[in-house]
Amino acid sequence: MTAKASEPTLSVVFYRTEAGREPVREWLVGLNREARKTIGEDIKTAQFGWPLGMPLIRKLEPGLWEVRSDIEQGIARVIFTVEGTTLVLLHAFVKKSRKRRLTS
C-alpha cells in the first residue's frame, strides 16, 4: 500500500531531555513569526518529501542531517535524525556569518 501524496512520509517530534526541555522548540520561540513560519514550512517540506537533498537538506554524517532555512537573521539550521518513520529535531541555530574565501 502506498502513501497518498497528502500524507507525510515522516512524523516530526522535538527531542526532549530527561529534564523535559525541548531545545529546538525553545529556540523557535525566540524567533519572530516570519522566521518560525519559514522554518516550519521547510521542516514540513522535509516531512512530506523525505528523502531530500540540497539546497534544503544537507547530510552532516551518517544518520544526521540539517534543514537549512533562509531567514532574515541568516541561515537557520535545524539538526535532525530519522528514527524509523520519525524525524527528530535535535538542535538548532542561526549561522550569521558567511565563510570568507582567501584571495591571493
Side-chain angles (χ1 to χ4, degrees):
M1 187 166 138
T2 59
K4 295 178 190 172
S6 62
E7 293 179 8
T9 304
L10 302 172
S11 60
V12 176
V13 298
F14 291 94
Y15 165 75
R16 181 176 290 164
T17 68
E18 288 185 20
R21 294 189 61 223
E22 294 175 324
V24 175
R25 187 186 305 267
E26 292 168 13
W27 173 79
L28 284 167
V29 169
L31 298 175
N32 65 42
R33 183 177 182 174
E34 187 66 30
R36 288 194 307 268
K37 181 179 178 194
T38 298
I39 294 164
E41 289 172 353
D42 289 345
I43 290 169
K44 184 176 179 182
T45 298
Q47 176 185 15
F48 278 76
W50 185 255
L52 296 170
M54 288 292 282
L56 182 64
I57 305 293
R58 182 172 147 228
K59 187 171 187 170
L60 300 174
E61 59 183 64
L64 200 62
W65 295 266
E66 67 180 1
V67 175
R68 301 161 59 97
S69 300
D70 190 9
I71 61 173
E72 184 179 330
Q73 299 88 335
I75 304 296
R77 299 178 185 212
V78 179
I79 311 301
F80 70 93
T81 191
V82 175
E83 294 181 355
T85 59
T86 304
L87 189 153
V88 183
L89 306 176
L90 302 170
H91 181 71
F93 61 95
V94 175
K95 182 170 182 191
K96 296 180 182 180
S97 63
R98 304 212 187 275
K99 287 185 178 180
R100 293 186 188 181
R101 291 187 186 192
L102 295 176
T103 57
S104 46

